[in-house]
């Protein structure tokens, strides 16, 4: 075959430099699979003299974005962030180039516009690398499960928070110390906000929910709660109940007053140690899909890192090049279901509530009464001396109920004179 | 959209009747996703009066295969077995119809010819349902990992043997009793040969290996060893080493005298309880891929059953219909790598060998000496009284070595006068 696909790579950082290396090293294999020789023609960088993980041919480097983008058959965007990535991707799609991006923030914020531009210009948009690194969850949702009905997805999709929580669990460290350790080892950025406040996971949640439910879900539709207020005490309490705390992204079909919609949220949850997500450690990610016909499916793999993420980019590259050569297209945006986004408070789960209460007779009955009045059953109750002579810790786990009902219960509990403090409230992931 | 895709379903058994039900129940969703209304026009059955899981409109039923096949846009073959399925699928492809099949035996034996026919007639062949039920491993290998280099795949892909081995592990039952139980519960057929002798897993292994290594691998290339000779004693011994016995399908890149090739085999292996495959129980299947860039990926889900398998068929249906309406094609056969199939004896792993030896001083040294002479290190050695006054059981686990080297060691062990019997030999799956 003599066909050549000209490629522009925007950004030669951790992922970009691996993409360039792999295209070079696997030239023959990729050509056989894509039906065309894949030729990197230009690499957009901020500084042509910067040191890189993989030595890129200096003749390919440019600081001129339009020069890199114009004339490329396929543009691979690995800059990250909204601007200038958004402008570059729009220009590439406008040119009719196939775009492959690993940019979750861009997708979660402007995905709909990018899909439209791709369609208008009869070209394709790929973004497997934007969610969960090497795990083919975009393919999974966009194609593999397209004949089924996804009812719920739950995933561990952020390595930084997973590392910090692992660290707290295994060493008993405080959040602050675990974060410092993560930063020292390069698992967390100097400004860790996007990761620890759940914003990175929320962007991925929006992308996955859009695909799973055939509905536009943007970053703003996902309620994010991070891990920065998790204490060593919370972790220790979880261990006592044979559970671990993980930051999870959850999107599911829900019903509010008979109207079907979806909820999407990121929050730290208690996960029983026997649950498949409990053992997903460090840089690994996993996504569980609960489907009407297929039942439960799990995808597991490395969620970050230069080479694993580059693998996802290269799969998109083979698909994208092959469609340019042999015809056909990547799936278009599927948003026909247009399900309303409902408040995540209506989503139902079990809860664990930890209270500090006055050390008096009859307190437990009083507390249990509040749950009973709201029609919430208690599954487990345990009591222990927290601050000797001062207060007792009562930890209760409930039957499945909505966040809204739980908020009502918590307000009533806080009004009880015997309740010193609501120490923690977590949703429990797993069997309801 | 006014486009209609006419569908013929060949076979209305466990899977077929669910496929027909789901097409009907999800008419609107499937039309929105596929870009065309999906209309079942005929259902080929052996007996129009047979009782079915789902009531099929009698007007659709026919016993005339050609009548069902001719004129259909999409033919879904769910009859199973080689003939008459092979003839029907060839006719459908010859007509230019898209074919979706769940027939692993047909694919593993005649896949190459079917791919050629599809290409000659400018149509598509889909078979997600042929391997591991609802798990999208065909999509995974054919598309999601197409930019990477798979080094090894290992999977639990047969529910019957998984059930029988689980049963033996949890209840201490013999193979015969566990098989009988499986037959009573409908997990094993009256003639269980294809499952228990590893032939079903071998067919799936051939299909997966073809995709993973871009090489034609047929059923005949896969060495299959079943579970019918596994004893309750083997299971008990495994438990003592914190391992379980599972029937696994393994295909990997190997080198024989500097020549790269692949090996493909199905065999019962010892799996450490901490290994991700150890907890894959009952009807669940899982496939691990070890890839050069992506690292390890795991796909997990229900490997059999009417509805999960129907889910896989429906994903293919959405993709197939969408390609007929919007253009484009399913991936063609990718066989460019043409790697030679090597003897599975060259594949390297750890081994566990259990011996009955004479109860004499110096026996252990003699046995260990045989391994040492062959350059194989022993990692663990344990000794216990097996038959009081008669023989002692010695269980040894080795460092990674080839099956060929192990065969040499076993021959020497059998020649040792102190060795009463080589009671069992298993490969150990996991860290080498």
């Amino acid at each position: 075959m003599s066909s050549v696909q000209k490629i522009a790579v925007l950004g030669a950082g951790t992922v970009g430099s691996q993409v360039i290396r792999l295209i070079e090293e696997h030239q023959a294999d990729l050509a056989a699979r894509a039906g065309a020789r894949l030729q990197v023609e230009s690499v957009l960088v901020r500084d042509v003299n910067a040191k890189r993980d993989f030595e890129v041919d200096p003749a390919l480097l440019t600081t001129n974005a339009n020069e890199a983008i114009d004339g490329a058959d396929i543009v691979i965007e690995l800059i990250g962030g909204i601007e200038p990535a958004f402008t570059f991707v729009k220009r590439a799609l406008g040119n009719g180039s196939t775009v492959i991006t690993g940019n979750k923030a861009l997708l979660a914020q402007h995905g709909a516009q990018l899909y439209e531009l791709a369609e208008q210009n009869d070209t394709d948009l790929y973004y497997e690398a934007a969610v969960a690194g090497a795990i083919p969850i975009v393919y999974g949702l966009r194609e593999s499960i397209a004949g089924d009905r996804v009812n719920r997805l739950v995933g561990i999709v952020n390595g930084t928070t997973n590392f910090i929580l692992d660290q707290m669990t295994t060493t008993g460290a405080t959040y602050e110390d675990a974060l410092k350790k993560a930063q020292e080892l390069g698992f967390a950025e100097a400004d860790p906000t996007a990761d620890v406040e759940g914003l990175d996971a929320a962007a991925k949640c929006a992308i996955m929910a859009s695909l799973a439910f055939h509905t536009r879900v943007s970053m703003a539709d996902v309620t994010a709660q991070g891990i920065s207020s998790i204490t060593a005490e919370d972790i220790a309490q979880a261990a006592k109940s044979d559970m671990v705390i993980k930051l999870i992204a959850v999107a599911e079909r829900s019903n509010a007053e008979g109207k079907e919609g979806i909820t999407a949220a990121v929050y730290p949850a208690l996960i029983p140690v026997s649950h498949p997500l409990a053992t997903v450690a460090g840089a690994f990610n996993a996504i569980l899909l609960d489907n009407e016909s297929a039942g439960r499916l799990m995808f597991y793999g490395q969620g970050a890192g230069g080479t694993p993420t580059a693998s996802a980019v290269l799969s998109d590259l083979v698909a994208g090049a092959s469609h340019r050569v042999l015809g056909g297209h990547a799936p278009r945006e599927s948003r026909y279901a247009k399900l309303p986004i409902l408040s995540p408070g209506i989503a139902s789960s079990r809860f664990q509530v930890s209270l500090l209460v006055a050390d008096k007779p009859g307190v437990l009955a009083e507390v249990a009464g509040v749950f009973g009045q709201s029609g919430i059953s208690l599954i487990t109750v345990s009591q222990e001396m927290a601050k000797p002579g001062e207060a007792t810790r009562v930890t209760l786990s409930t039957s499945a109920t909505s966040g809204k009902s739980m908020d009502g219960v918590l307000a009533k509990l806080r009004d009880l004179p015997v309740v010193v403090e609501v120490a923690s409230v977590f949703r429990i992931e797993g069997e309801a």
Side-chain angles (χ1 to χ4, degrees), chain A:
Chain A
M1 64 201 62
S2 59
S3 169
V4 173
Q5 290 290 307
K6 289 178 280 181
I7 298 165
V9 180
L10 314 184
T14 319
V15 179
S17 57
Q18 292 304 318
V19 166
I20 297 164
R21 173 179 72 80
L22 290 166
I23 292 174
E24 195 173 304
E25 283 183 18
H26 295 302
Q27 193 65 249
D29 273 317
L30 294 170
R33 298 178 195 179
R37 195 156 62 81
L38 305 177
Q39 182 72 45
V40 176
E41 299 256 304
S42 58
V43 178
L44 178 68
V45 293
R46 255 183 306 209
D47 172 5
V48 295
N49 298 312
K51 212 179 138 42
R52 305 200 156 74
D53 298 348
F54 170 73
E55 195 77 36
V56 179
D57 179 356
L60 300 178
L61 299 179
T62 175
T63 55
N64 184 328
N66 294 353
E67 194 184 288
I69 294 164
D70 297 345
D73 297 302
I74 300 175
V75 174
I76 302 176
E77 186 272 305
L78 297 166
I79 299 171
I82 303 298
E83 281 299 350
F86 190 30
T87 302
F88 296 167
V89 166
K90 283 190 290 189
R91 185 180 184 100
L93 292 171
N95 288 342
S97 305
T98 296
V99 167
I100 297 167
T101 175
N103 193 327
K104 59 202 145 264
L106 184 59
L107 257 300
Q109 210 156 314
H110 301 294
Q113 194 182 336
L114 298 181
Y115 260 121
E116 272 168 17
L117 256 176
E119 199 157 348
Q120 278 161 23
N121 292 282
D122 196 31
T123 189
D124 287 340
L125 175 66
Y126 293 89
Y127 49 92
E128 185 58 73
V131 186
I135 303 175
I137 189 63
V138 172
Y139 273 89
L141 290 166
R142 215 157 64 146
E143 309 195 39
S144 308
I145 202 71
D148 207 328
R149 182 182 162 91
V150 180
N151 287 321
R152 186 167 193 269
L153 72 84
V154 50
I156 293 180
V157 292
N158 179 272
T160 304
T161 49
N162 213 34
F163 176 88
I164 292 172
L165 293 170
D166 277 2
Q167 192 68 18
M168 290 174 74
T169 303
T170 51
T171 69
T174 62
Y175 167 74
E176 290 72 20
D177 288 347
L179 169 61
K180 201 183 288 175
K181 180 84 179 272
Q183 285 170 324
E184 282 166 17
L185 295 172
F187 292 127
E189 296 184 38
D191 175 0
T193 313
D195 290 313
V196 301
E197 297 307 338
L199 308 177
D200 170 84
K204 293 166 181 167
C205 188
I207 296 169
M208 293 192 291
S210 300
L211 294 168
F213 303 114
H214 302 270
T215 292
R216 281 184 180 167
V217 182
S218 80
M219 182 83 185
D221 297 319
V222 184
T223 309
Q225 183 193 340
I227 62 161
S228 56
S229 60
I230 304 288
T231 64
E233 181 60 38
D234 291 333
I235 301 278
Q237 283 294 320
K240 280 181 196 161
S241 324
D242 285 329
M243 299 201 270
V244 290
I245 298 178
K246 296 273 187 192
L247 186 74
I248 57 175
V250 181
E252 58 190 313
R253 292 182 192 271
S254 288
N255 271 286
E257 290 145 18
K259 194 175 67 169
E260 192 188 29
I262 55 172
T263 61
V266 169
Y267 52 84
L270 288 166
I271 302 190
V273 292
S274 60
H275 189 282
L277 291 181
T279 49
V280 176
F284 278 83
N285 281 190
I287 296 115
L288 291 179
L289 305 182
D290 285 316
N291 312 288
E292 184 188 304
S293 300
R296 174 163 287 186
L297 289 175
M298 181 162 94
F299 296 76
Y300 171 89
Q302 292 187 67
T307 333
T309 309
S311 166
V313 171
L314 264 81
S315 297
D316 281 349
L317 186 55
V318 168
S322 161
H323 281 140
R324 291 189 79 86
V325 177
L326 302 170
H329 275 295
R332 301 294 189 198
E333 183 186 21
S334 179
R335 59 168 190 276
Y336 73 88
K338 293 190 181 63
L339 295 171
I341 315 292
L342 307 174
S343 153
I346 68 158
S348 181
S349 70
R350 293 184 59 207
F351 280 85
Q352 186 179 88
V353 179
S354 195
L355 305 170
L356 296 184
V357 299
D359 189 12
K360 285 183 199 163
V363 169
L364 205 54
E366 216 177 323
V367 166
V370 172
F371 285 89
Q373 285 153 27
S374 304
I376 301 171
S377 309
L378 295 175
I379 308 290
T380 64
V381 178
S382 74
Q383 192 171 347
E384 62 179 309
M385 204 60 85
K387 301 175 181 173
E390 287 177 33
T392 298
R393 180 185 289 269
V394 177
T395 303
L396 315 105
S397 74
T398 73
S399 58
T401 188
S402 70
K404 227 162 119 181
S405 310
M406 185 51 58
D407 287 342
V409 168
L410 293 172
K412 284 187 207 157
L413 288 173
R414 287 194 181 95
D415 281 349
L416 283 188
V418 296
V419 171
V420 180
E421 189 194 335
V422 175
S424 71
V425 183
F426 288 101
R427 283 185 185 264
I428 301 174
E429 177 62 26
E431 282 62 55

